[in-house]
């Protein structure tokens, strides 16, 4: 079986210069139009609600035909987790390529070509793209036992500061890309009580500053340390920038949503008494508990009058009670006026609800749709169609 969880394996042990975006008139898509970043005319206008999904990179996983499939479903927003060619399995010679002064994007060239072909189709169809820095060069070297953050600074810091200015220049004329997600699931220690100062006070503000030096108007997505947990919005700083999207990831309870991965056993049912992680005692998980797990994020959004997005949420397709879990999550997002992006339909199909629970596990499928019109798939499509309203 291909490795289905990349960065989520760690948890188991425990997104063009100035894309102008306007609300589409009578359609699911965005009206996308290129505007010079130098004009600095303020942040683009977002749709009333962003409802969509995540996409991962791997050979054949981001072809233009997928954009047409998304548009047909009514999806108006996708988030692409961008990685090095090696991390995505697209490196032609399967070796590490270092970023350099003359070519800081050298580790990403195959993926950039794939991304540009995909976003060209997205622009034509009115699907907005958020580009997320995920498996960037050096991330796999971070020592998660180093609570000082020194390993995080060394492994990610310099690479991130090279990556974003170069990407912002490279994609400055791409009309589909409306946002950059500064860093996917920031973390550098399993000690969740630590405050993440290296991220909040050093790397995140410096990355934002460097992007803004190139592009003053694109939206920037940020999430709390560690891992983007919604609960950490109690310590998340408010950023002095007019075009910030605040985001979080929610896979609670983890031993339920990730069952069958790592050490999480299958057969755990929702709603029910579930251990969030192996180290925690079982407790009742139902709609009220899910809502409570995300309440700090919703409170932050209301308190500061900002947009809040669940930029990842999902559950393995064989989890008993999956239809109920997804329905509860969607109703909570809609109730709290939160944008949301489901994880996911492409690459490893263990998350894909359009495959039968007992379908063979595959790494890449030629289309997003796996042939099984499950209740969860139908529910997501009904909600994506709300984008046209």
């Amino acid at each position: 079986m291909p490795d289905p969880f990349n960065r989520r394996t760690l948890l188991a042990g425990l997104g063009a210069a100035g894309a102008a975006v306007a609300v589409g008139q009578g359609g699911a898509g965005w009206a996308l139009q290129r505007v010079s970043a130098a004009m600095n005319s303020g942040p683009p206008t977002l749709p009333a609600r962003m409802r969509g999904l995540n996409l991962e990179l791997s050979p054949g996983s981001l072809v233009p035909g997928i954009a047409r499939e998304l548009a047909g479903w009514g999806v108006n927003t996708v988030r692409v987790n961008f990685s090095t060619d090696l991390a995505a399995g697209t490196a032609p010679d399967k070796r590490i390529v270092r970023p350099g002064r003359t070519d800081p994007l050298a580790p990403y060239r195959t993926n950039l070509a794939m991304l540009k072909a995909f976003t060209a189709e997205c622009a034509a169809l009115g699907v907005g793209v958020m580009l997320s820095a995920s498996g960037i060069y050096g991330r796999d070297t971070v020592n998660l036992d180093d609570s000082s953050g020194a390993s995080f600074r060394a492994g990610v810091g310099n690479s991130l500061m090279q990556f974003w200015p170069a990407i912002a220049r490279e994609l400055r004329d791409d009309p589909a890309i409306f946002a950059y997600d500064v860093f996917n699931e920031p973390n550098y220690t399993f000690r969740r009580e630590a405050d993440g100062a290296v991220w909040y006070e050093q790397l995140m503000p410096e990355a934002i500053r460097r992007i803004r030096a190139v592009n003053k108007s694109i939206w920037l997505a940020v999430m709390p340390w560690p891992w983007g947990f919604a609960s950490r919005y109690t310590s998340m700083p408010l950023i002095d920038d007019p075009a910030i999207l605040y985001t979080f990831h929610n896979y609670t309870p983890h031993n339920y949503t990730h069952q069958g991965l790592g050490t999480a056993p299958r057969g755990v049912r929702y709603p029910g008494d579930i251990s969030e992680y192996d180290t925690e005692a079982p407790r009742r998980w139902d709609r009220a508990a899910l809502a409570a797990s995300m309440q700090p994020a919703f409170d932050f959004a209301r308190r500061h009058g900002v947009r809040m997005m669940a930029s990842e949420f999902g559950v393995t397709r064989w989890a008993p009670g999956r239809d109920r879990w997804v329905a509860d999550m969607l109703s909570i997002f809609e109730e709290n006026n939160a944008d949301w992006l489901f994880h996911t339909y492409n690459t490893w199909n263990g998350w894909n609800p359009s495959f039968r629970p007992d379908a063979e596990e595959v790494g890449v499928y030629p289309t997003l749709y796996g042939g099984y019109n499950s209740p969860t798939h139908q529910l997501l499509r009904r909600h994506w169609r709300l984008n046209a309203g």
Side-chain angles (χ1 to χ4, degrees), residues 270-295:
Y270 172 89
D273 294 333
I274 305 168
S275 298
E276 169 85 68
Y277 297 100
D278 291 342
T279 57
E280 299 180 8
R283 65 184 182 94
R284 182 69 180 177
W285 280 96
D286 52 18
R287 187 185 186 281
L290 291 179
S293 74
M294 297 180 281
Q295 197 61 48

Side-chain angles (χ1 to χ4, degrees), residues 168-182:
R169 287 189 292 268
E170 179 85 11
L171 300 176
R172 66 183 306 124
D173 294 322
D174 192 316
I177 299 177
F178 74 96
Y180 297 147
D181 188 345
V182 175

Side-chain angles (χ1 to χ4, degrees), residues 20-291:
V21 186
V23 178
Q25 299 299 315
W30 307 39
L32 297 158
Q33 169 188 347
R34 190 182 312 167
V35 173
S36 171
M39 293 174 62
N40 191 22
S41 57
T45 301
L46 298 174
R49 186 70 55 80
M50 289 177 280
R51 302 179 181 91
L53 50 73
N54 283 266
L55 295 173
E56 304 284 341
L57 289 164
S58 70
S61 69
L62 212 63
V63 294
I66 285 179
R68 295 189 286 273
E69 198 169 6
L70 293 168
W73 288 350
V75 167
N76 69 2
T77 306
V78 295
R79 174 176 176 265
V80 176
N81 279 301
F82 198 75
S83 304
T84 66
D85 298 339
L86 187 67
T90 59
D93 51 7
K94 297 180 173 57
R95 66 181 179 88
I96 296 173
V97 178
R98 294 178 179 273
R101 185 180 297 275
T102 58
D103 188 4
L105 297 179
Y108 312 96
R109 285 297 170 189
T110 303
N111 286 344
L112 271 171
M114 181 164 56
L115 176 72
K116 288 176 181 179
F118 175 73
T119 59
E121 193 69 17
C122 287
L125 295 168
V127 177
V129 178
M130 176 188 293
L131 186 68
S132 176
S134 184
I136 65 169
Y137 182 85
R139 182 159 196 170
D140 59 348
T141 69
V142 174
N143 176 9
L144 292 177
D145 290 327
D146 181 7
S147 60
S148 72
S151 174
F152 187 68
R153 279 194 303 269
V156 169
N158 290 338
S159 180
L160 196 66
M161 302 317 155
Q162 277 187 307
F163 176 82
W164 276 124
I167 280 286
R169 287 189 292 268
E170 179 85 11
L171 300 176
R172 66 183 306 124
D173 294 322
D174 192 316
I177 299 177
F178 74 96
Y180 297 147
D181 188 345
V182 175
F183 195 60
N184 180 58
E185 297 182 353
N187 59 86
Y188 55 78
T189 175
F190 287 126
R191 292 176 53 203
R192 297 187 207 162
E193 71 276 9
D195 64 7
V198 169
W199 173 243
Y200 287 143
E201 298 173 12
Q202 299 176 31
L203 298 190
M204 182 174 70
E206 180 62 14
I208 290 173
R209 186 188 70 78
R210 294 196 183 209
I211 295 170
R212 287 290 180 237
V214 179
N215 190 326
K216 299 185 184 304
S217 59
I218 197 162
W219 284 91
L220 300 179
V222 296
M223 64 182 67
W225 181 99
W227 309 101
F229 290 143
S231 61
R232 295 309 293 262
Y233 268 96
T234 55
S235 59
M236 179 74 178
L238 184 69
I239 298 170
D240 184 17
D241 186 296
I244 297 291
L245 284 170
Y246 293 88
T247 70
F248 66 90
H249 291 180
N250 194 288
Y251 292 93
T252 53
H254 186 270
N255 277 358
Y256 171 72
T257 61
H258 283 60
Q259 60 182 274
L261 306 184
T263 61
R266 295 195 186 200
V268 180
R269 179 172 294 277
Y270 172 89
D273 294 333
I274 305 168
S275 298
E276 169 85 68
Y277 297 100
D278 291 342
T279 57
E280 299 180 8
R283 65 184 182 94
R284 182 69 180 177
W285 280 96
D286 52 18
R287 187 185 186 281
L290 291 179

Side-chain angles (χ1 to χ4, degrees), residues 303-325:
R303 185 164 59 250
H304 298 296
V306 296
R307 291 286 285 258
M308 183 61 66
M309 171 186 280
S311 58
E312 279 192 27
F313 73 104
V315 57
T316 52
R317 56 180 158 84
W318 44 74
R322 177 198 64 191
D323 301 334
R324 173 77 174 273
W325 186 89

